[in-house]
Amino acid sequence: MEDLLPELCDQFPDLVRVVEPMFANFGGRENFGGEIVTIKAFEDNSLVREQVAQPGAGKVLVVDGGASMRRAMLGDMLAEKAASNGWEGIIIYGCIRDVNAIGETDIGVQALGTIPLKTEKKGVGELNIPVTFGGVTFTPGEYVYADNNGVLVSAQKLELA
């Protein structure tokens, strides 16, 4: 199952919405997928910290960080917390840090890039609202899949035959 997304696109062409190419794969899992949980927050990862502390089995955290290249919305400690709570993956429309440690963590992580600066913690952001980037809307309760080929969204759970 190395190239999951091409297979899903071939098998379910009418059910997938493909995100414009922009993400790099940083996590210990190269392909991952699950039910979407969203956060919209700009340069404040307080809600990310709260969510990764929750049980996440079968879920992917999709963080709309406003494409900020100035602050990291995820670091090694939060990635490890997410992995220990069973999250399948995290997609950050923004930056991460601690890339070497995240690459050793058993979780999928995709982001636009890396920067060593952490965010401020002001408790600002919105949880579980539809967020749109890369030409696709990520709606809580729908499904997202990611691998080295990109990211796609589907209204229903997809299983390869």
Side-chain angles (χ1 to χ4, degrees):
M1 207 161 59
E2 289 174 7
D3 289 318
L4 174 67
L5 267 59
E7 294 295 325
L8 289 174
C9 287
D10 291 352
Q11 195 167 332
F12 304 104
D14 298 334
L15 299 180
V16 299
R17 303 185 311 270
V18 178
V19 179
E20 294 165 2
M22 65 179 75
F23 292 100
N25 217 341
F26 294 101
R29 291 186 191 170
E30 286 193 344
N31 40 23
F32 60 95
E35 185 180 341
I36 296 171
V37 174
T38 66
I39 291 174
K40 185 177 182 80
F42 187 74
E43 296 183 2
D44 181 339
N45 71 349
S46 302
L47 283 179
V48 176
R49 178 178 301 279
E50 289 176 17
Q51 285 305 298
V52 299
Q54 304 298 317
K59 297 178 183 175
V60 174
L61 188 60
V62 176
V63 180
D64 181 351
S68 172
M69 303 304 273
R70 302 185 309 189
R71 300 285 178 167
M73 295 293 286
L74 181 75
D76 60 343
M77 291 169 48
L78 295 186
E80 287 169 16
K81 173 75 80 176
S84 69
N85 284 317
W87 287 86
E88 304 298 325
I90 303 172
I91 297 171
I92 307 271
Y93 185 52
C95 287
I96 66 167
R97 67 186 205 158
D98 304 315
V99 292
N100 293 336
I102 288 174
E104 308 264 319
T105 305
D106 184 24
I107 189 167
V109 175
Q110 291 209 8
L112 297 180
T114 64
I115 192 164
L117 289 170
K118 65 182 179 178
T119 68
E120 294 189 29
K121 313 282 188 286
K122 297 179 181 172
V124 177
E126 296 176 275
L127 179 65
N128 274 329
I129 62 164
V131 297
T132 302
F133 52 83
V136 170
T137 297
F138 296 80
T139 303
E142 290 192 343
Y143 294 85
V144 63
Y145 301 90
D147 69 9
N148 286 327
N149 295 288
V151 177
L152 64 80
V153 174
S154 176
Q156 63 192 65
K157 190 172 185 176
L158 303 177
E159 309 256 351
L160 290 174

